[in-house]
Amino acid sequence: MQRRILGGTGISVSEYALGAMMLGAWGNTDHDDCVRIVHRALDAGINFVDTADVYAAGESEEIVGKALKGRREDVVLATKAVSSMGPDANHSGSSRRWIVRAVEDSLRRLGTDYIDLYQMHRPDPTTDIDETLSALSDLVRAGKVRAIGSSTFPAEQIVEAQWTAERRGHLRFRTEQPPYSMLARGVENAVLPTAQRYGMGVLTWGPLSAGWLSGRDLSASSRAGLETQKFDLSIPENARKAEAVRALSTVAAEAGLPLPHLATAFVRSHPAVTSVIIGPRTLDQLDSMLEGAEVTLGADILDQIDAIVPPGTDLNRADAYYLPPAITDASLRRR
């Protein structure tokens, strides 16, 4: 497993990161099996593990903590906060009040006294970024966090956070974690170039586009329980995705690659990307993805992918996973 430096932190991380979203009630409920998945990933050379407090309401963090006992010092551990952790409105967001509590809760569940990378899971339009960065800087200085980052932030909010840190004397976000795949390339427009401009590490999630690029059946019945607007083939954007998947499958077959290997190699090939988060639910899924860890794509294959899904294109806008309130709240765009 190759390594890269995470932004300007000096921290060496594997080109694959193990995403822990599927460990626990959201995916694999067998804790012992989940621990085996983590250990298999570490034994294969992955040293970067990413989770979040909201994954299965903290269960994922607890599983990761159990799996890392005796191996913590060899692992770069990342987690996230902001998403709701209870019915109280103050149990979410990026206020100082919540972040200070959320990091303590994560430390307890993870069974560690420090977090290598603590990320804001989504922008919080109700909290001034100055407030957030001030609280995060204090957590770093207290030794509870080593570095801070953002996740699924649009480019303009990445810039605002960088400028605020500089002008207010705070520590700055060192990483961004955006969704990125052959079907969801919108971050190529501004997010990835902005991260490069500020020397930020980039760890991407969703290289298989929520299963679209897994090679598995995409019928409505197979996506039961997931967000139907992202999989209903009667929606024109999803019909476009299905057509693109068929074309990309042909490219993969002609290259002699499984479609998931083409998908992860594509994401890893972007010069802004530091590490690609893979989120297996089973050992078999992990082993299959690890087999593609050394795959590289030539310019001819990348050109073929560009011809199917043009650079900077999200075939379904829902795959951006974040829209600012000015778009989602009609009152903000009407007189």
Side-chain angles (χ1 to χ4, degrees):
M1 184 72 62
Q2 300 296 311
R3 297 278 192 95
R4 297 178 180 177
I5 298 299
L6 187 62
T9 66
I11 300 172
S12 175
V13 297
S14 48
E15 289 186 335
Y16 276 4
L18 178 67
M21 187 178 76
M22 301 303 291
L23 306 185
W26 287 11
N28 188 336
T29 58
D30 184 332
H31 284 207
D32 290 338
D33 194 44
C34 290
V35 168
R36 285 190 288 270
I37 290 171
V38 176
H39 289 173
R40 181 76 60 86
L42 300 183
D43 292 342
I46 291 177
N47 79 326
F48 198 5
V49 178
D50 178 81
T51 184
D53 57 3
V54 74
Y55 295 163
E59 185 183 2
S60 170
E61 288 187 326
E62 292 173 351
I63 292 170
V64 169
K66 180 180 178 182
L68 295 186
K69 285 183 179 178
R71 307 184 71 166
R72 173 67 183 93
E73 292 304 314
D74 298 324
V75 174
V76 178
L77 179 58
T79 192
K80 300 180 285 292
V82 166
S83 300
S84 177
M85 292 296 287
D88 192 310
N90 285 321
H91 294 174
S92 64
S94 60
S95 68
R96 174 180 288 272
R97 184 182 191 276
W98 175 242
I99 289 172
V100 169
R101 173 175 171 179
V103 77
E104 294 291 351
D105 289 344
S106 288
L107 289 168
R108 172 178 47 80
R109 287 189 291 261
L110 290 164
T112 185
D113 56 5
Y114 70 98
I115 294 164
D116 293 290
L117 177 62
Y118 196 55
Q119 304 154 98
M120 297 296 94
H121 210 157
R122 294 290 188 275
D124 176 9
T126 68
T127 305
D128 193 320
I129 191 64
D130 179 48
E131 170 87 0
T132 301
L133 291 172
S134 173
L136 291 172
S137 297
D138 287 346
L139 290 171
V140 173
R141 295 184 180 108
K144 296 179 180 182
V145 172
R146 298 293 188 257
I148 58 175
S150 55
S151 176
T152 320
F153 272 46
E156 65 273 15
Q157 294 196 35
I158 295 174
V159 172
E160 181 185 5
Q162 295 289 325
W163 284 8
T164 300
E166 180 180 350
R167 293 173 181 180
R168 300 291 291 172
H170 303 315
L171 299 180
R172 64 188 183 92
F173 287 145
R174 288 293 191 171
T175 63
E176 163 59 15
Q177 185 182 141
Y180 184 35
S181 73
M182 293 190 294
L183 302 179
R185 302 183 60 176
V187 295
E188 293 173 342
N189 286 318
V191 170
L192 296 184
T194 298
Q196 285 180 296
R197 180 178 182 85
Y198 288 102
M200 300 171 72
V202 174
L203 47 155
T204 64
W205 58 276
L208 302 187
S209 198
W212 280 90
L213 299 169
S214 67
R216 299 194 301 273
D217 175 35
L218 288 175
S219 65
S221 61
S222 72
R223 311 309 299 179
L226 297 178
E227 298 163 281
T228 56
Q229 75 272 18
K230 295 189 178 72
F231 303 98
D232 184 350
L233 295 181
S234 68
I235 297 174
E237 292 83 357
N238 292 335
R240 289 175 61 199
K241 285 170 68 172
E243 181 180 354
V245 169
R246 286 190 288 271
L248 291 167
S249 297
T250 298
V251 172
E254 291 177 348
L257 295 171
L259 182 58
H261 293 181
L262 179 76
T264 51
F266 165 80
V267 174
R268 202 172 70 248
S269 70
H270 195 288
V273 173
T274 309
S275 189
V276 180
I277 298 173
I278 57 173
R281 181 176 54 83
T282 67
L283 278 169
D284 286 345
Q285 290 177 358
L286 173 61
D287 288 341
S288 176
M289 300 191 80
L290 288 173
E291 290 172 0
E294 304 302 323
V295 172
T296 58
L297 305 181
D300 56 334
I301 295 179
L302 293 172
D303 288 344
Q304 291 178 63
I305 295 170
D306 287 350
I308 296 167
V309 182
T313 301
D314 283 333
L315 294 184
N316 186 342
R317 190 173 67 168
D319 290 335
Y321 285 88
Y322 175 79
L323 292 174
I327 293 177
T328 57
D329 184 348
S331 69
L332 298 178
R333 60 180 187 269
R334 295 175 182 163
R335 289 189 176 184

